[in-house]
């Protein structure tokens, strides 16, 4: 699973309709270019691909200010919305996700009802515990990694990763169950996108497709 797919669908969905530069601006404002593969070229390519796949609707709205093809705005449709929520639920529930995918999922977690978000995170904990149990069938953490030579350090890493991942997830669940954040259906959500005229302090600079 690619984080950029979830990020772009989520960004377009938050705007309702957005051109590529707005999507890129949002992702850079979130720092996604630092912790995922959401680089400008990848963003513009993914937007076009998802339009071809029927997840986004591309609207030609005005001539490009650079004198090229008309500027395109993207709008998420029902198929794209379904894909967004499928990816979001997978990002939050699977213990095997890379950090960028999990980070993207956390970024949109409040788009779900509170109870569902908690249930998905509990699935993640169950997966981490099952993974840990599988490792400890062959490795006893209490005996230290040396029992298996330097290869034991790999299993030691897996056990610690499972433990820390489960600990972090339990903390998040506790905060959510304690009333933190505004989830779907509870009121006005946190606004995490920039208005058109707001400067972005984290922009990486111009790209040839910004005006298309």
């Amino acid at each position: 699973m690619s984080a950029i797919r979830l990020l772009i669908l989520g960004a377009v969905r938050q705007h309702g309709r957005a051109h590529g530069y707005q999507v890129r601006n949002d992702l850079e404002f979130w720092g996604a270019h630092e912790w995922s593969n959401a680089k400008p070229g990848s963003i513009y390519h993914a937007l076009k691909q998802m339009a071809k796949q029927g997840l986004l609707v591309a609207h030609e709205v005005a001539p490009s200010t650079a004198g090229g093809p008309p500027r395109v705005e993207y709008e998420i449709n029902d198929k794209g919305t379904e894909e967004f929520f499928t990816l979001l639920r997978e990002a939050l529930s699977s213990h095997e996700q890379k950090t960028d995918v999990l980070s993207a999922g956390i970024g949109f977690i409040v788009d779900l009802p509170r109870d569902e978000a908690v249930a998905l995170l509990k699935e993640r904990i169950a997966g981490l515990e099952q993974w840990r149990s599988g490792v400890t069938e062959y490795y006893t953490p209490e005996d230290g990694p040396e029992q298996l030579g330097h290869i034991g350090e790999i299993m030691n890493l897996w056990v610690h990763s499972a433990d820390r991942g489960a600990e972090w997830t339990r903390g998040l669940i506790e905060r959510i169950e304690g009333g933190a954040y505004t989830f779907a259906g509870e009121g006005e959500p946190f606004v995490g996108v920039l208005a058109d005229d707001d400067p972005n302090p984290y922009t990486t600079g111009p790209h040839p497709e910004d005006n298309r």
Side-chain angles (χ1 to χ4, degrees):
M1 176 180 168
S2 169
I4 194 168
R5 197 172 178 90
L6 174 57
L7 286 165
I8 288 176
L9 289 171
V12 174
R13 183 174 178 270
Q14 287 193 359
H15 282 284
R17 184 164 159 167
H19 56 75
Y21 178 71
Q22 286 176 301
V23 174
R24 177 197 163 192
N25 207 36
D26 288 342
L27 268 55
E28 291 185 350
F29 181 61
W30 301 337
H33 59 296
E34 299 287 353
W35 49 261
S36 78
N37 61 339
K39 305 299 188 288
S42 300
I43 293 168
Y44 291 119
H45 175 74
L47 282 164
K48 293 173 184 175
Q49 284 299 109
M50 285 191 278
K52 289 180 181 179
Q53 293 164 0
L55 302 174
L56 298 172
V57 178
H59 302 275
E60 294 185 353
V61 293
S64 168
T65 57
R71 185 168 228 180
V72 177
E73 287 185 348
Y74 295 91
E75 181 180 11
I76 195 166
N77 57 20
D78 290 344
K79 183 178 178 182
T81 300
E82 182 180 352
E83 175 74 356
F84 167 72
F85 280 108
T86 296
L87 295 174
L88 175 57
R89 292 178 175 113
E90 183 182 343
L92 294 172
S93 63
S94 175
H95 73 282
E96 298 177 321
Q97 299 295 6
K98 294 181 180 179
T99 303
D100 61 340
V101 176
L102 178 59
S103 297
I106 296 300
F108 296 114
I109 192 172
V110 295
D111 288 8
L112 296 167
R114 186 178 297 270
D115 289 347
E116 183 179 4
V118 168
L120 291 168
L121 292 170
K122 287 181 177 178
E123 283 185 41
R124 181 173 192 271
I125 290 175
L128 287 167
E129 291 174 342
Q130 184 176 5
W131 176 44
R132 189 188 194 282
S133 295
V135 174
T136 55
E137 287 182 11
Y138 309 96
Y139 168 68
T140 306
E142 293 76 15
D143 293 343
E146 295 90 343
Q147 62 188 293
L148 297 175
H150 72 281
I151 301 302
E153 295 292 351
I154 299 173
M155 295 190 173
N156 195 42
L157 170 64
W158 291 346
V159 168
H160 278 273
S161 296
D163 289 343
R164 298 292 82 77
E167 179 184 13
W168 173 84
T169 308
R170 289 190 188 97
L172 177 56
I173 289 173
E174 183 178 352
R175 290 187 290 278
I176 293 172
E177 290 183 328
Y181 319 120
T182 302
F183 283 78
E186 295 181 350
E188 288 297 318
F190 173 80
V191 178
V193 296
L194 291 167
D196 288 346
D197 55 350
D198 285 346
N200 182 358
Y202 309 112
T203 183
T204 59
H207 185 272
E209 295 201 56
D210 284 346
N211 294 315
R212 296 180 185 176

